[in-house]
């Protein structure tokens, strides 16, 4: 699947599940602004399993540095679509995020927020196309504003940041299950799970049907999750 498809599916799943987030997890129902930011964070997190690919969205984030990191992850994890495409990775990513936000506090949370928003901005094409200066400056500007917003108005993102990471990574795995090769959900057990609906990355089905459909569904879900309650209250 394309990075854009993963990001849109992550956004959709977060927005669609936000009204049902257990209050025991969050204390109170998430505010509309939290739903919006969480949707973007989940979109970014849905790119994380492709840290094992030298030419996917995460690899293009910081030029040679991120490319080198992705090659290292790929080498450590046994290649593309191995360890990072498993339920074990989802658990480790969520647990690592939880450890980071609880032990290292806001510096970790805001750094991760910046990275996830940058991934989302890139995958969702929220900046001019290409890798030129304009694209880079726009992406960094948008990401910086988003992170500053979280820093200023979100005193406690300890709980829903791990949730967004888990949900995004899980959505990625399910998306890749719809393509050829599938994913080894139960890694290190090697069996691959697949239900092939998308035969080629970037196919018409993906670009002209699935992405537009999921985009519209995300806005509808955001309406019900973030804005409709405001009108109901008013
Ligand atoms: Zn993947």
């Amino acid at each position: 699947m394309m990075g854009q498809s993963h990001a849109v599916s992550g956004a959709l799943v977060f927005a669609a599940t936000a009204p049902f987030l257990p209050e025991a997890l969050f204390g109170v129902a998430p505010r509309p602004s939290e739903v919006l930011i969480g949707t973007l964070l989940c979109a970014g997190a849905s790119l994380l399993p492709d840290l094992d690919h030298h030419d996917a969205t995460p690899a293009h984030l910081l030029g040679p540095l991120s490319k080198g990191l992705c090659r290292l992850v790929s080498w450590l994890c046994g290649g593309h679509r191995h360890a990072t495409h498993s339920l074990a990775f989802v658990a480790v990513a969520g647990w690592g995020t939880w450890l980071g936000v609880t032990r290292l506090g806001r510096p970790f949370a805001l750094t991760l927020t910046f990275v996830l928003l940058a991934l989302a901005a890139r995958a969702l094409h929220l900046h001019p196309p290409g890798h030129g200066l304009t694209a880079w400056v726009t992406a960094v500007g948008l990401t910086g504003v988003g992170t500053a917003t979280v820093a200023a108005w979100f005193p406690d993102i300890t709980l829903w940041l791990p949730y967004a990471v888990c949900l995004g990574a899980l959505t990625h795995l399910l998306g890749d299950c719809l393509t050829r090769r599938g994913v080894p959900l139960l890694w290190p057990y090697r069996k691959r799970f697949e239900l092939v609906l998308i035969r080629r990355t970037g196919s018409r089905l993906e670009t002209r049907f699935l992405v537009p459909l999921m985009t519209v569904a995300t806005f509808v879900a955001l309406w019900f999750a973030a804005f409709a309650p405001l009108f109901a209250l008013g």
Side-chain angles (χ1 to χ4, degrees), residues 1-10 43 46-47 50 55-58 81 122-125 172 175-176 179 198 200-212 214:
M1 275 180 114
M2 302 182 306
Q4 185 187 19
S5 310
H6 284 304
V8 176
S9 64
S46 68
L47 279 310
D50 277 350
D55 201 24
T57 307
R81 288 202 188 188
R122 183 143 206 112
L124 294 173
H125 304 312
H172 181 112
D176 277 352
T179 64
I198 302 170
R200 184 174 57 82
T201 298
S203 67
R204 285 188 176 197
L205 173 68
E206 186 177 358
T207 58
R208 299 198 181 172
F209 179 71
L210 283 178
V211 170
M214 289 192 296

Side-chain angles (χ1 to χ4, degrees), residues 130-225:
H131 302 279
L133 188 63
T134 313
W136 192 80
V137 169
T138 312
V140 170
L142 283 174
T143 306
V145 169
T147 307
T149 303
V150 170
W153 284 300
F154 292 66
D156 187 11
I157 52 175
T158 306
L159 285 169
W160 52 267
L161 199 50
Y163 171 74
V165 166
C166 280
L167 193 62
L170 188 61
T171 306
H172 181 112
L173 302 192
L174 297 179
D176 277 352
C177 280
L178 302 179
T179 64
R180 283 183 174 157
R181 279 189 72 205
V183 294
L185 284 178
L186 303 179
W187 182 91
Y189 180 52
R190 288 169 180 262
K191 176 177 170 50
R192 288 181 173 269
F193 294 81
E194 63 176 38
L195 178 65
V196 182
L197 293 180
I198 302 170
R199 301 201 166 273
R200 184 174 57 82
T201 298
S203 67
R204 285 188 176 197
L205 173 68
E206 186 177 358
T207 58
R208 299 198 181 172
F209 179 71
L210 283 178
V211 170
L213 181 70
M214 289 192 296
T215 303
V216 171
T218 300
F219 281 109
V220 172
L222 276 177
W223 166 262
F224 283 108

Side-chain angles (χ1 to χ4, degrees), residues 16-183:
T17 56
F20 309 105
L21 298 179
E23 287 199 12
L25 186 62
F26 293 90
V28 292
R31 294 173 293 166
S33 54
E34 288 173 330
V35 174
L36 292 176
I37 287 286
T39 298
L40 286 173
L41 290 174
C42 194
S46 68
L47 279 310
L48 290 177
D50 277 350
L51 278 168
D52 67 356
H53 194 295
H54 69 279
D55 201 24
T57 307
H60 293 294
L61 208 56
L62 288 172
L65 194 64
S66 47
K67 255 189 197 290
L69 174 70
C70 288
R71 285 190 191 277
L72 178 66
V73 171
S74 178
W75 179 70
L76 289 173
C77 295
H80 182 45
R81 288 202 188 188
H82 283 85
T84 64
H85 284 68
S86 66
L87 295 176
F89 174 80
V90 175
V92 167
W95 181 65
T97 305
W98 168 257
L99 270 186
V101 294
T102 52
R103 300 280 170 86
L104 304 175
R106 282 181 75 73
F108 175 88
L110 293 177
T111 303
L112 183 60
T113 296
F114 187 88
V115 171
L116 295 181
L117 290 180
L119 285 170
R122 183 143 206 112
L124 294 173
H125 304 312
L126 300 182
H127 57 73
H131 302 279
L133 188 63
T134 313
W136 192 80
V137 169
T138 312
V140 170
L142 283 174
T143 306
V145 169
T147 307
T149 303
V150 170
W153 284 300
F154 292 66
D156 187 11
I157 52 175
T158 306
L159 285 169
W160 52 267
L161 199 50
Y163 171 74
V165 166
C166 280
L167 193 62
L170 188 61
T171 306
H172 181 112
L173 302 192
L174 297 179
D176 277 352
C177 280
L178 302 179
T179 64
R180 283 183 174 157
R181 279 189 72 205
V183 294

